[in-house]
Amino acid sequence: MKKILVTGGCGYIGSHTIVDLIVNGFSVISIDDNSRSSAYLLDGIEKITGKKVKNYKVDLKDFNDTRAVFQENQDIAGIIHFAAYKAVGESVEEPLMYFENNLYSLINLLKCVKEFNVPHFVFSSSCTVYGSPDKIPVTEESPIKKAESPYGATKQMGEEILTSTVKVTDTKAILLRYFNPVGAHPSGFIGELPLGKPANLVPAITQTAIGKLPQMTVFGSDYDTRDGSNIRDYIHVCDIAHAHTLALNYLIENRNKTNYDIFNLGTGNGVTVLEAIKAFEEVSGQKLNYKVGPRRPGDVVAIYANNNLAVTALGWKIKYDLTEMMRTAWAWELKIKEEEDILKNQKFLYN
Ligand code: WQD
């Protein structure tokens, strides 16, 4: 059974990918310092798969602590690197924190990949590398334009660091450019746990609907799109997760064309913010309390993927549509509320 190291394994996409890897026959270990994630999702992984995943609570910015994990696990067949800060707005406020965290972590990891000859490396990249595209849908050949935020810049630099490294090592890499991951595992045992006020659309919708947020703001409805709001390519997190398993098998079976093949992970459908809200209202059966506010600086007007390469080369089949994305996101929000209520009651009982 090949052992895979998932960094950021306690996070949203990381936890869903660990489930998919285990279900598809891999054994998994995780490195996650839990600075922005919770070991709570490891319990969820165990409930779904029956497997207890070991998480090394290590800060990847600390080279010696990172190297110690490789020293202890010299049979790592592949790495999937998720661990990074990813809030666009925060990256504008704290650029140095983003460059230090996202790039030091990657460099330390790649030093270990080199020293311990790890054969396969899958990098979590993002459609933000395309900036504001002139032509949509975007393909993997679409021009890389100036990043709209330091977060996007760390993804562009991360791709550069990785591709330069694998050109001079025997490691083979894949760069997966996610569009907008949303939704939750159908079991309801894992999902997104945004820290503080959510920046992303779908958790903002579900937290408003459940009453955690008083009202949601649509950031602009005067764009040059069919209904004036931004267009994005929302993709279910489980479809994203399965693409990582397919990408690893693609490398293990030597089907790669270069040492750093790139794939867009999106559905190929553009959805506006207002259409996403409508889909949620149909699923939840409740009207969402939102207002239209000013545009958000750094927002791209419209972007969605041409995903033909991932579909043909990886054999990727998308299983979840927008309704399922909203249904699973809402089910997860309801589940967290239920748990919080139980926890509150328990606290109440024992105080
Ligand atoms: C989507 C749309 C907002 C919140 C970012 C990263 C990307 C990926 C996903 C990591 C935009 C609008 C949002 C709200 C709103 N992250 N919106 N009200 O900015 O497309 O992408 O997150 O992989 O790399 O760049 O996602 O969900 O923040 O915004 O109107 O309260 O929803 O203006 O049009 P984004 P998002």
Side-chain angles (χ1 to χ4, degrees), residues 35-36 78-79 86 98 110 196 246 330:
S35 60
R36 297 196 169 194
I79 295 176
K86 63 135 194 163
Y98 268 69
L110 289 175
L246 295 172
W330 182 227

Side-chain angles (χ1 to χ4, degrees), residues 202-214:
V202 172
I205 289 175
T206 56
Q207 287 198 13
T208 301
I210 204 136
K212 275 188 182 168
L213 293 174

